[in-house]
Amino acid sequence: MQFTYKQQNLNEEELIEYRIKNYWNKRSSEFSKVRRIELTGANGDAWLSLIQNHFPSKKPLKILDVGTGAGFFAILLANCGHHVIGIDMSPKMIQESKKNMFEFGVRAEFIQMNAQELNFDNETFDVVISRNLTWTLPDVMQAYREWHRVLKIGGMLMNFDSDYGDKNFMNEQTCAKAKIADEMLMECNDIKNSLRISTHTRPEWDIKILETLNFDVSFEENISSFVQKDKIAYDSVPLFAIFAKKQ
């Protein structure tokens, strides 16, 4: 089965954005179930410990969770008393994040928004945080510029992602195939292969870009063993962490 798209009146950039949104809309329900498991298990505590070690000293913080998905970071951090706004391109993911927010009894804001075109004033946030998003963006450089813009001086950008550029999601060692249909994996491969970020070696490329934006950058090449403690099907590609402080 092949995916088809209404390409009428869509330029190349609009088409890829449509495909990305459509893909995550279809994945939203099962994706949300996995994030709920993480929130109630050892992963939630592990993520919180890692993140808080890199937070600015000021509390409470105003935090932007970019590509919030089912609201994992937003819910985790709102439960600590921070003011969190989660954004995502997928309207169905936003629906899932709101459902999860009520289920976990916390208060956060969730808004459908493009990660590359933020509707926020300059220097609004103390922290910008993202997980498994940048590998899916059409223009990561533009996204980093926007995230820099909305961060306060001394604020922290945290990006957790993997270098999927040369990987094949049909390979069981590369992708956790549980409850993901082959047609969806094929679509994910096609989208990934169409993106410029897939041609770069990461996180080295990201670090160079962030340093040109006047971030002070540190990173860890693989945090998988630290934050993937629950019995969930994870892929074998290392999860890197970038911590970038705005100068």
Side-chain angles (χ1 to χ4, degrees):
M1 177 178 176
Q2 296 294 319
F3 280 70
T4 58
Y5 299 91
K6 295 180 179 179
Q7 300 184 25
Q8 190 175 27
N9 298 324
L10 292 179
N11 61 34
E12 184 176 351
E13 182 176 344
E14 290 170 336
L15 177 58
I16 191 61
E17 289 183 0
Y18 172 81
R19 293 182 71 182
I20 293 169
K21 183 189 300 184
N22 186 64
Y23 175 83
W24 289 110
N25 276 341
K26 290 177 178 291
R27 287 279 312 276
S28 60
S29 179
E30 289 300 325
F31 186 87
S32 185
K33 291 178 183 177
V34 173
R35 291 297 175 258
R36 287 197 294 271
I37 293 171
E38 286 194 309
L39 280 166
T40 57
N43 281 16
D45 291 337
W47 273 110
L48 191 58
S49 175
L50 175 68
I51 292 166
Q52 288 182 327
N53 283 338
H54 295 271
F55 266 177
S57 57
K58 169 193 169 186
K59 293 183 181 180
L61 300 168
K62 189 165 186 179
I63 301 172
L64 177 63
D65 177 16
V66 188
T68 191
F72 177 78
F73 278 156
I75 292 168
L76 192 69
L77 296 171
N79 191 49
C80 296
H82 300 294
H83 176 199
V84 191
I85 299 177
I87 66 167
D88 202 284
M89 183 185 291
S90 163
K92 290 192 176 181
M93 282 293 193
I94 292 296
Q95 290 175 9
E96 290 294 330
S97 64
K98 290 179 178 179
K99 285 196 301 185
N100 292 333
M101 174 185 67
F102 288 117
E103 180 177 328
F104 284 90
V106 300
R107 179 173 294 180
E109 295 182 60
F110 293 101
I111 307 170
Q112 186 181 348
M113 190 181 298
N114 189 330
Q116 300 171 181
E117 301 174 6
L118 301 180
N119 188 24
F120 300 110
D121 293 335
N122 295 349
E123 300 185 17
T124 297
F125 297 96
D126 300 294
V127 174
V128 173
I129 192 167
S130 183
R131 175 185 179 188
N132 296 126
L133 171 71
T134 38
W135 71 273
T136 71
L137 291 179
D139 192 342
V140 179
M141 192 179 298
Q142 172 59 23
Y144 279 144
R145 285 194 289 261
E146 275 289 89
W147 303 356
H148 178 274
R149 180 183 65 80
V150 301
L151 264 177
K152 298 175 183 177
I153 301 296
M156 182 66 71
L157 166 62
M158 302 184 189
N159 183 21
F160 307 99
D161 205 4
S162 298
D163 188 0
Y164 289 118
D166 63 352
K167 304 301 186 293
N168 182 352
F169 292 126
M170 299 301 294
N171 182 331
E172 292 191 22
Q173 295 301 311
T174 299
C175 184
K177 294 183 66 173
K179 299 185 179 180
I180 305 176
D182 282 351
E183 65 186 87
M184 294 295 289
L185 294 176
M186 291 173 61
E187 171 67 354
C188 191
N189 263 337
D190 288 345
I191 292 172
K192 173 186 67 69
N193 292 336
S194 72
L195 301 175
R196 281 176 289 173
I197 189 63
S198 296
T199 66
H200 298 300
T201 301
R202 308 183 66 204
E204 290 83 356
W205 178 87
D206 304 72
I207 293 165
K208 290 179 181 178
I209 296 301
L210 291 169
E211 288 176 341
T212 66
L213 294 173
N214 201 29
F215 278 106
D216 180 18
V217 184
S218 64
F219 72 100
E220 296 183 35
E221 291 186 355
N222 190 355
I223 62 168
S224 300
S225 62
F226 185 76
V227 296
Q228 295 176 354
K229 298 180 181 298
D230 290 322
K231 294 180 180 180
I232 301 172
Y234 295 106
D235 63 45
S236 61
V237 184
L239 179 65
F240 64 75
I242 295 175
F243 305 100
K245 185 176 182 180
K246 181 174 177 178
Q247 301 301 297

